[in-house]
Amino acid sequence: MKTVVIGAGLGGLLSAARLSKAGHEVEVFERLPITGGRFTNLSYKGFQLSSGAFHMLPNGPGGPLARFLKEVEASVNIVRSEMTTVRVPLKKGNPDYVKGFKDISFNDFPSLLSYKDRMKIALLIVSTRKNRPSGSSLQAWIKSQVSDEWLIKFADSFCGWALSLKSDEVPVEEVFEIIENMYRFGGTGVPEGGCKGIIDALETVISANGGKIHTGQEVSKILIENGKAAGIIADDRIHDADLVISNLGHAATAVLCSEALSKEADAAYFKMVGTLQPSAGIKICLAADEPLVGHTGVLLTPYTRRINGVNEVTQADPELAPPGKHLTMCHQYVAPENVKNLESEIEMGLEDLKEIFPGKRYEVLLIQSYHDEWPVNRAASGTDPGNETPFSGLYVVGDGAKGKGGIEVEGVALGVMSVMEKVLG
């Protein structure tokens, strides 16, 4: 079977690796001169920065992405993180970190609640695994259960780091699916070599199975015949195919086959595509001579204005920085209405870092923003519309079609798995 994959980002390369291993004749078309998209490395001053995603897998060596890599025999070593910590003011009631702070374990977040609310949370943790809440945002559900504002700050920090959303923007169902996946797969991990270590390993699998990757070739049209994908046009050349996998998200995919989507029967798909909203964020990369975080996991920062979470990837893989240096990555959520004020958002993030790391010496290496056509996610988590399109043999993968409960790249892997089940049986 001939398969064409549009886009050499993580979702596209995962699909190409699995299908080429299954015996498909696979060709990947990527408009950029490099592969990986928002999941590869950028070499700068001897540091291996990332083009998008942090050098971190939310569910580590036991998660969906790691399991998929093992299935296709992609050689990647993923280092399990030691812990996730939460930075809180030294004295309860302080609004920020200016008067001191302490770090607590992620699992100890209920310790800052009243005795009554701690007991309630303990019961909820047990009961909601079987009877999950639904029909509201995470924030609305929390407010219906406890009165302490600490839980809202904690939820906003976690959702900001993991999803680039606030807790009032995430369906409670999606968050509880994420929590279940944390129980199922475990916490974070860092791939040796960073994002590019995974991309290189997938390219090796694709090449070893006869697949081809074309860079610098933009797809201008998806060919549809009798309601079925029949190939693509790239650089004015027709490439026939039995199966087309798009890593571009539903909106961009719909544009490429818009002529075939003009029927009234496809009005619902057009309407759905028009409602999808990308999530936006900012990443600030820091260089330091001494550790800023001191462990391989995530540091959540609920008492800042903008920064949601920080991780120091060189604690797991020192090769991501020059000898003796540390690379720390900081992420902040950007609200849709603030995308037009990115300079102000960045300034608030930089001010946050002074409070998070008081007295520490560091250099700001690079500040990256993700929005519009280059977002954190093409479809905000919890609004992913699945992988199918109105056409047989045309599927969408990537961060615009993630699986339920999959944080970032784990969701990408879950989405690809879903497509592979449909295609390969």
Side-chain angles (χ1 to χ4, degrees):
M1 181 177 283
K2 175 68 181 294
T3 297
V4 163
V5 177
I6 307 172
L10 178 63
L13 293 182
L14 287 172
S15 302
R18 182 67 184 87
L19 291 170
S20 65
K21 194 169 179 61
H24 284 225
E25 181 187 346
V26 176
E27 286 192 81
V28 183
F29 292 85
E30 168 58 52
R31 68 180 178 88
L32 296 177
I34 61 169
T35 59
R38 283 163 291 147
F39 194 79
T40 190
N41 294 8
L42 302 173
S43 185
Y44 182 68
K45 291 187 175 182
F47 291 84
Q48 292 300 310
L49 310 182
S50 62
S51 57
F54 283 24
H55 296 305
M56 178 169 277
L57 309 189
N59 293 127
L65 179 51
R67 293 183 178 197
F68 195 99
L69 293 170
K70 288 179 181 177
E71 183 180 345
V72 300
E73 299 181 322
S75 181
V76 183
N77 184 42
I78 300 168
V79 180
R80 171 72 76 186
S81 299
E82 300 164 303
M83 65 184 84
T84 289
T85 55
V86 186
R87 183 154 292 181
V88 299
L90 200 57
K91 184 178 179 182
K92 187 174 181 179
N94 286 351
D96 51 37
Y97 302 124
V98 173
K99 294 183 179 180
F101 53 77
K102 61 181 179 180
D103 293 345
I104 64 172
S105 166
F106 180 86
N107 294 325
D108 290 337
F109 75 87
S111 65
L112 298 185
L113 298 169
S114 67
Y115 177 78
K116 179 181 177 181
D117 282 344
R118 283 203 304 272
M119 294 300 100
K120 191 165 188 179
I121 287 295
L123 291 172
L124 285 170
I125 288 173
V126 175
S127 64
T128 52
R129 291 197 71 186
K130 290 184 178 180
N131 302 297
R132 297 185 191 176
S134 62
S136 73
S137 71
L138 173 63
Q139 185 177 117
W141 179 80
I142 290 174
K143 287 183 175 180
S144 73
Q145 302 297 321
V146 297
S147 58
D148 198 316
E149 283 295 312
W150 150 243
L151 268 188
I152 302 298
K153 286 184 175 293
F154 175 73
D156 279 343
S157 180
F158 176 78
C159 291
W161 172 78
L163 310 174
S164 233
L165 296 170
K166 290 194 73 174
S167 61
D168 62 355
E169 298 173 304
V170 188
V172 67
E173 299 96 323
E174 178 70 8
V175 175
F176 274 85
E177 196 70 38
I178 288 171
I179 293 170
E180 190 61 32
N181 281 343
M182 291 170 66
Y183 282 119
R184 185 182 296 126
F185 303 126
T188 60
V190 176
E192 290 185 356
C195 298
K196 195 173 188 298
I198 291 176
I199 295 301
D200 287 347
L202 288 171
E203 288 189 27
T204 298
V205 172
I206 294 165
S207 176
N209 288 287
K212 297 178 182 178
I213 300 173
H214 308 286
T215 56
Q217 293 196 31
E218 185 169 7
V219 173
S220 58
K221 187 175 182 178
I222 296 173
L223 302 174
I224 305 294
E225 295 179 2
N226 300 318
K228 185 182 185 304
I232 59 140
I233 296 177
D235 286 357
D236 297 323
R237 289 184 57 197
I238 294 175
H239 301 268
D240 295 327
D242 304 296
L243 176 68
V244 176
I245 306 286
S246 172
N247 191 49
L248 308 183
H250 280 276
T253 302
V255 169
L256 293 180
C257 53
S258 57
E259 292 179 14
L261 275 168
S262 59
K263 300 175 184 178
E264 289 184 11
D266 299 317
Y269 184 70
F270 264 128
K271 185 177 181 180
M272 178 276 292
V273 166
T275 64
L276 297 178
Q277 293 293 325
S279 52
I282 291 169
K283 182 172 63 183
I284 303 176
C285 301
L286 308 177
D289 293 330
E290 60 176 322
L292 298 179
V293 176
H295 60 72
T296 58
V298 181
L299 170 65
L300 295 176
T301 54
Y303 286 84
T304 58
R305 287 166 293 253
R306 289 296 186 267
I307 298 292
N308 306 119
V310 181
N311 67 301
E312 195 164 52
V313 292
T314 41
Q315 292 290 330
D317 183 2
E319 298 298 315
L320 294 172
K325 295 284 187 178
H326 294 274
L327 173 60
T328 302
M329 295 180 165
C330 316
H331 180 77
Q332 65 188 75
Y333 153 83
V334 176
E337 64 270 19
N338 290 330
V339 168
K340 60 182 181 295
N341 301 314
L342 286 177
E343 289 188 10
S344 174
E345 293 292 296
I346 289 168
E347 285 302 317
M348 281 187 273
L350 292 173
E351 287 301 311
D352 282 343
L353 293 176
K354 293 177 183 178
E355 293 183 13
I356 297 170
F357 303 123
K360 299 281 189 177
R361 299 185 64 181
Y362 55 82
E363 173 191 355
V364 177
L365 285 171
L366 188 66
I367 300 173
Q368 299 156 281
S369 61
Y370 302 91
H371 57 91
D372 297 328
E373 299 301 315
W374 193 260
V376 175
N377 286 313
R378 290 188 176 94
S381 292
T383 67
D384 301 272
N387 307 96
E388 295 190 356
T389 71
F391 306 114
S392 173
L394 173 60
Y395 296 93
V396 176
V397 296
D399 57 78
K402 302 183 297 300
K404 291 185 182 299
I407 300 176
E408 306 297 350
V409 295
E410 305 291 6
V412 172
L414 287 171
V416 172
M417 288 178 186
S418 178
V419 173
M420 295 303 107
E421 287 177 9
K422 293 180 177 74
V423 172
L424 299 175

